[in-house]
Amino acid sequence: MPDWKTRLAVSYRDEDGNEADITPIDSFSPSFSLNAEVLHSLEQTHIGVVYTPDAMSFSMTVKAMGDVAAQLTALALQGKRFDVTLQESEDGSDWSFKTIVMQECIITSANPTEASISGVPTATFSGFSLAAASEPKTGAKVEIP
């Protein structure tokens, strides 16, 4: 059975310019829309392609305990840009990538669940990314501006 040695974190620069991480994140769902539309004419079909700008959005869920949800809420209220990184940890030999990063992210909505007598409430944060990059263990680094 593979042992996935990775961690998901939100990285940003604090007021002093130091790199800070927010972790743990329970789930992360990125969405990449790399749009291309076929071009037709009256005389012929499939004569070309029209590319539209890439769109990268995400949704992440954290437990609303400790300070993780509060830190993400503060980033959202400040409009502060951040990176979402999936990083290989020590001895992560089973994973295909060294890193995957959604860069210059902005949170556009925050939705906490209701508090109940059983279970831990969660908060879901959604937003978009202005750039993305991945670095595989072998091969070239891929970047989307």
Side-chain angles (χ1 to χ4, degrees):
M1 191 84 155
D3 184 13
W4 301 105
K5 305 265 188 199
T6 60
R7 72 179 192 147
L8 191 56
V10 167
S11 300
Y12 69 98
R13 295 232 178 256
D14 65 13
E15 299 79 28
D16 300 324
N18 300 319
E19 182 91 9
D21 285 340
I22 299 174
T23 190
I25 297 171
D26 294 335
S27 70
F28 180 71
S29 301
S31 176
F32 297 92
S33 180
L34 311 172
N35 298 317
E37 183 179 330
V38 68
L39 181 62
H40 304 289
S41 77
L42 293 174
E43 294 88 24
Q44 184 179 350
T45 62
H46 297 87
I47 61 171
V49 64
V50 175
Y51 292 99
T52 57
D54 301 335
M56 297 164 286
S57 58
F58 65 88
S59 177
M60 73 174 82
T61 303
V62 300
K63 288 185 176 47
M65 58 187 249
D67 64 347
V68 174
Q71 288 177 318
L72 288 172
T73 301
L75 287 178
L77 293 174
Q78 294 168 1
K80 187 173 255 186
R81 294 182 184 188
F82 59 91
D83 296 343
V84 177
T85 58
L86 188 57
Q87 306 164 331
E88 179 183 52
S89 63
E90 269 186 49
D91 194 32
S93 58
D94 293 331
W95 199 47
S96 303
F97 291 91
K98 289 182 181 176
T99 60
I100 294 179
V101 180
M102 289 187 83
Q103 301 163 325
E104 299 292 318
C105 296
I106 299 289
I107 293 174
T108 57
S109 70
N111 299 305
T113 61
E114 62 185 48
S116 67
I117 201 160
S118 63
V120 176
T122 61
T124 300
F125 296 88
S126 300
F128 62 89
S129 172
L130 298 177
S134 67
E135 186 176 353
K137 286 190 174 187
T138 59
K141 184 176 183 178
V142 178
E143 293 188 23
I144 300 174

